[in-house]
Amino acid sequence: MRWLSRARAVENTVVAGQMRSFFRGLSAETRKDPRLVAQAYGAHLFHRRRRRLVDEKRFAASRFHVGIGVASDDFADLTKRAVLVSDTLLLSHNGAGGRHHVRRLASSDSFIPRTEEEDRTGVLPTGTSTTEDLYMRCPDPERLGRWLLQTEPLLRAGCAWYLPTYAVSRHTERHGYAGEPIDPTYEHHSGPVTESDVPGLLDFAATGRRVVAQSHTPAVLSRLVIPVVEELELPFIDGVSLEEFSEITMGEFDGYRALRGWMRMELANVDSALDADGRQNELMKIGLRMQDGVRGMQAQMNQVRRKRAVAVTGAVVGTVTASLVAVYGPALQSALTAVVGGAAGGLWGAFQAGADNSPRTLRENAWYYVWTLSRKADRNP
């Protein structure tokens, strides 16, 4: 069953564990508001006591083959493209955008105890109150929340995740009396808001699309990602929504992995010394080979359908023949054999061939995955 294979599809166990925990904790009511989803995500990945990313050591030890920091508030196109060559895609706004409240971290009061006389006369307290709040920087929390919901299958499988940029603010208010002792006035003063950035897991560029990788990641990877993100024509994903892409990728996980390996090999073979025209020429050839792969898969699917159609006919003939023989006896069987010349057996053989060459046997093929995306793109208006 497809849902079972999707549940078993895991690329990065550390990321998948945190993402599945996050989505399990989302209520149906929260899912209705993308802003609340983004807020809940920010709260989930922040360790309240340590003031750090949760599971930071395990995150740092796991592999992130592609980490991209962007200022844009729309991750859709970038996600669909970069996932095609990355084991785990890590996206971040890298501090771009406004500051959005996530949760209250702590609050404390320190007031001078009042005397019985002050309590009786209603004298206001004197002292300080301090609050600490967690914020997350991003251009548009609503869009971020929609991205999280649309990519839920990818996140649950550890194929992608989002790294928030956190800040903790501290605010102190002082309450007390001022003025002449004979005519005091009660005042409260707000101190300046101090803000400290929580260290990020990776060092991203502040703007643009700079592809970065950790030290243990092959340096050639940047060369593989940039063409896919910025240069390669990929109509089979441009015509599908991010939600459709996520569902199909997880539903055809084996085919997706096969395509990812193929694309890495093809891009690695592009000579980095080529000039701009030579590079575009090589990328165009890759695009043409992908089109050939899709056409070949379409031909195979048509062949399988024809075989299965013949098989259904054979099964019906065989069933009717068996019923008639049961009624009229061996004499009819001999007559049918003479007239049909063993046609039923031939059709039954076609049925067996169709079963042996069903679409299930093709689903691990990279081009079945691309063909599925292309078919969905063609059906979309």
Side-chain angles (χ1 to χ4, degrees), residues 83-146:
V83 160
L84 293 180
V85 287
S86 60
D87 284 355
T88 299
L89 172 65
L90 173 56
L91 294 177
S92 173
H93 282 121
N94 196 43
R99 192 182 70 162
H100 305 278
H101 188 263
V102 175
R103 65 179 299 180
R104 172 66 51 86
L105 293 175
S107 62
S108 61
D109 296 315
S110 177
F111 288 95
I112 299 173
R114 294 184 297 178
T115 64
E116 291 183 6
E117 177 66 20
E118 288 173 332
D119 278 336
R120 189 167 52 253
T121 57
V123 174
L124 295 172
T126 300
T128 60
S129 59
T130 303
T131 58
E132 286 185 309
D133 290 275
L134 176 66
Y135 291 86
M136 182 172 66
R137 292 189 180 276
C138 76
D140 189 337
E142 186 171 351
R143 276 200 166 186
L144 174 60
R146 283 200 298 268

Side-chain angles (χ1 to χ4, degrees), residues 130-375:
T130 303
T131 58
E132 286 185 309
D133 290 275
L134 176 66
Y135 291 86
M136 182 172 66
R137 292 189 180 276
C138 76
D140 189 337
E142 186 171 351
R143 276 200 166 186
L144 174 60
R146 283 200 298 268
W147 179 85
L148 290 167
L149 293 173
Q150 290 166 352
T151 58
E152 180 175 349
L154 294 176
L155 271 60
R156 281 180 172 272
C159 292
W161 68 297
Y162 174 78
L163 175 66
T165 302
Y166 290 114
V168 175
S169 71
R170 183 182 178 89
H171 182 209
T172 302
E173 287 191 347
R174 293 177 175 81
H175 308 263
Y177 287 91
E180 297 295 329
I182 58 173
D183 187 23
T185 57
Y186 187 79
E187 298 177 349
H188 73 274
H189 300 276
S190 294
V193 176
T194 59
E195 185 173 300
S196 60
D197 290 330
V198 177
L201 186 62
L202 294 175
D203 181 24
F204 290 100
T207 57
R209 295 182 187 172
R210 181 184 170 205
V211 180
V212 298
Q214 289 191 13
S215 58
H216 64 273
T217 307
V220 73
L221 193 63
S222 295
R223 211 159 45 87
L224 305 185
V225 176
I226 292 173
V228 178
V229 172
E230 300 182 354
E231 300 170 292
L232 203 56
E233 292 291 331
L234 300 171
F236 64 91
I237 62 170
D238 293 336
V240 298
S241 69
L242 180 58
E243 189 171 9
E244 291 167 338
F245 173 83
S246 302
E247 288 285 343
I248 292 172
T249 299
M250 290 302 98
E252 309 299 341
F253 198 64
D254 290 334
Y256 153 69
R257 280 180 160 174
L259 176 71
R260 185 179 63 192
W262 182 88
M263 290 190 70
R264 285 177 177 174
M265 186 179 301
E266 289 288 316
L267 292 167
N269 290 332
V270 176
D271 190 348
S272 59
L274 290 173
D275 58 17
D277 290 340
R279 180 182 178 83
Q280 285 300 320
N281 216 20
E282 290 301 310
L283 293 178
M284 184 182 68
K285 291 178 183 178
I286 292 175
L288 291 173
R289 284 194 285 272
M290 294 181 78
Q291 291 178 24
D292 287 341
V294 174
R295 280 194 292 267
M297 179 55 63
Q298 181 64 62
Q300 289 186 64
M301 293 301 294
N302 291 342
Q303 184 180 14
V304 168
R305 288 196 184 104
R306 284 194 296 269
K307 286 183 177 181
R308 295 179 78 182
V310 171
V312 170
T313 305
V316 172
V317 170
T319 302
V320 173
T321 301
S323 300
L324 291 172
V325 169
V327 175
Y328 293 103
L332 180 62
Q333 185 176 19
S334 301
L336 281 173
T337 303
V339 173
V340 180
L347 291 172
W348 182 255
F351 173 73
Q352 292 288 66
D356 294 339
N357 196 21
S358 69
R360 288 185 182 179
T361 63
L362 302 175
R363 286 180 61 180
E364 294 183 2
N365 190 306
W367 305 120
Y368 183 88
Y369 168 63
V370 180
W371 174 80
T372 305
L373 288 169
S374 300
R375 187 175 59 168

